[in-house]
């Protein structure tokens, strides 16, 4: 680094005699943040430079993050980016309710598990109930799937109509058999 600096240029004046003012090339922001961060920066092998960063040098959103230390700001930024990415990823399915997890689907799945005896927990709980005594089946009272808050009032009307038609056909078939006798 040089150990001497050239002399400053001679002062310049406007036509009315006032000292000439030059615009600052770096913008200064007025947003209410007033922090200063000072640090010793290495310059060369044996020297350091005392460098300061001021809140007025940063735009509003950058100053809001820069006022915190790095170990606080980085997790906030990463968490914010993950939340925004998740919102964009799932934005296409907002308002679309699948046929899974409707009350009819839940009921049909429970009936199928009971008929096929595929759920080991309910299979165990249903076996020899009189021998074990009272046993509360929590599955009958707790939410059965993670989408319970979003799927509360959504019904699969096609499945409900198909079940109604099937029950009517079964009831009609029974009525026809009784008439034939």
């Amino acid at each position: 680094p040089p150990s001497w600096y050239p002399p400053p240029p001679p002062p310049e004046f406007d036509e009315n005699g006032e000292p000439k003012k030059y615009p600052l090339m770096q913008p200064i922001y007025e947003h209410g943040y007033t922090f200063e961060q000072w640090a010793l920066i290495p310059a060369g092998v044996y020297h350091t430079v005392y460098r300061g960063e001021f809140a007025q040098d940063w735009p509003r959103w950058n100053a809001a993050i820069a006022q915190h230390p790095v170990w606080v700001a980085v997790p906030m930024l990463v968490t914010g980016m993950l939340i925004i990415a998740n919102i964009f990823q799932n934005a296409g399915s907002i308002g679309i309710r699948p046929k899974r997890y409707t009350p009819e689907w839940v009921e049909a799945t429970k009936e199928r598990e009971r008929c096929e005896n595929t759920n080991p927990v309910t299979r165990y709980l249903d076996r020899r109930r009189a021998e074990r005594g009272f046993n509360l089946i929590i599955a009958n009272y707790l939410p059965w799937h993670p989408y319970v808050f979003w799927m509360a009032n959504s019904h699969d009307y096609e499945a409900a109509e198909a079940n109604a038609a099937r029950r009517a056909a079964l009831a009609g078939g029974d009525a026809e058999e009784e008439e034939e006798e």
Side-chain angles (χ1 to χ4, degrees):
S3 59
W4 61 273
Y5 294 98
E12 297 182 18
F13 299 97
D14 287 334
E15 291 83 14
N16 60 0
E18 292 183 1
K20 192 169 185 180
K21 295 181 181 176
Y22 294 95
L24 188 61
M25 291 300 154
Q26 181 179 358
I28 295 177
Y29 299 96
E30 295 183 11
H31 41 55
Y33 296 104
T34 58
F35 66 87
E36 296 180 10
Q37 293 175 347
W38 293 92
L40 285 172
I41 306 291
V45 180
Y46 301 108
H47 301 283
T48 55
V49 176
Y50 200 45
R51 180 175 178 202
E53 292 186 359
F54 304 98
Q56 288 80 13
D57 296 340
W58 298 87
R60 172 181 295 280
W61 299 110
N62 295 358
I65 294 294
Q67 71 178 342
H68 301 291
V70 174
W71 59 271
V72 173
V74 168
M76 289 183 352
L77 287 174
V78 170
T79 303
M81 287 190 301
L82 288 174
I83 289 172
I84 290 172
N86 193 356
I87 289 172
F88 277 118
Q89 182 178 5
N90 296 325
S93 61
I94 291 176
I96 298 173
R97 292 183 174 174
K99 295 191 184 248
R100 285 178 70 183
Y101 302 115
T102 59
E104 292 81 14
W105 184 87
V106 171
E107 181 182 347
T109 304
K110 285 184 178 181
E111 287 177 9
R112 188 178 67 248
E113 283 183 353
R114 291 285 170 129
C115 292
E116 297 173 357
N117 209 12
T118 56
N119 190 337
V121 175
T122 55
R123 183 170 59 220
Y124 170 75
L125 293 176
D126 287 343
R127 193 182 312 140
R128 295 191 218 117
R129 187 174 298 274
E131 295 177 10
R132 287 191 335 269
F134 177 75
N135 189 2
L136 183 66
I137 300 176
I138 301 175
N140 293 339
Y141 303 102
L142 292 178
W144 195 71
H145 54 82
Y147 308 105
V148 67
F149 298 113
W150 295 277
M151 301 297 292
N153 293 325
S154 59
H155 293 279
D156 184 6
Y157 294 108
E158 296 173 3
E161 291 172 3
N163 286 341
R166 185 181 52 146
R167 288 184 184 130
L170 290 175
D174 293 340
E176 291 175 3
E177 290 176 5
E178 290 175 2
E179 289 176 3
E180 291 174 3
E181 294 175 0

